[in-house]
Amino acid sequence: MGKGTTLLAQVTSTNVVLFDSPYGGPQHGTLTLRTHPRHGKDIILGIERGQFLCRSYEDCNVLVRFDDQKAVTYAGVGPADNSTESVFIRNYSRFVSNMLKAKRVRISAEVYQEGAPVFEFDVSDFSEAKYKGKQ
């Protein structure tokens, strides 16, 4: 409801991780860029099943590596609805600026009883022009 268009770009991880029960079985991660007229610009790391250890009211650390550059810590925060399958990575501009120069992004965040699995994303086909609707 309201004015504006929501823009989304999403990629699924090229690798799978295996969690123990009750979240067992192979699963991918998702990396989403979102521009929302009311909520602003977001980078969202998601998993199919499991619990990121990142609350909506307290920052957590998310480790990000662009290509073979040194891994960098970004702040993350859980969603306002307190769901546990996603983390909002702070500093959208810095993240996207680095991503535009990269072909691969690896992201690691703490998951309850699973350590900090690494999800790898192929971002070589990302087009900022397409994302912004300027094909």
Side-chain angles (χ1 to χ4, degrees):
M1 306 259 309
K3 297 181 181 181
T5 302
T6 299
L7 304 175
L8 289 172
Q10 186 173 68
V11 64
T12 302
S13 64
T14 56
N15 66 319
V16 295
V17 297
L18 298 172
F19 290 167
D20 288 332
S21 182
Y23 305 111
Q27 64 173 301
H28 288 93
T30 55
L31 177 61
T32 305
L33 274 67
R34 177 180 76 178
T35 301
H36 190 279
R38 190 168 14 131
H39 301 298
K41 295 178 177 184
D42 296 301
I43 304 289
I44 307 165
L45 173 65
I47 53 177
E48 298 169 70
R49 302 171 305 282
Q51 298 178 46
F52 280 118
L53 295 178
C54 200
R55 296 178 176 88
S56 62
Y57 53 86
E58 181 180 332
D59 281 358
C60 63
N61 289 327
V62 178
L63 201 58
V64 180
R65 187 172 180 167
F66 298 95
D67 289 333
D68 292 323
Q69 299 296 317
K70 181 180 175 186
V72 178
T73 300
Y74 280 77
V77 66
D81 68 0
N82 294 313
S83 59
T84 59
E85 295 87 13
S86 59
V87 172
F88 288 73
I89 300 173
R90 297 195 188 270
N91 205 333
Y92 177 94
S93 297
R94 179 175 144 214
F95 187 100
V96 171
S97 174
N98 286 317
M99 189 187 77
L100 287 170
K101 299 176 221 165
K103 293 183 181 183
R104 178 177 55 174
V105 176
R106 287 174 277 181
I107 304 176
S108 176
E110 290 285 327
V111 176
Y112 179 68
Q113 293 186 336
E114 299 295 338
V118 176
F119 293 96
E120 188 169 313
F121 301 95
D122 178 354
V123 295
S124 61
D125 288 336
F126 178 74
S127 164
E128 191 173 24
K130 260 181 149 175
Y131 177 67
K132 292 180 178 180
K134 299 174 185 173
Q135 300 175 13

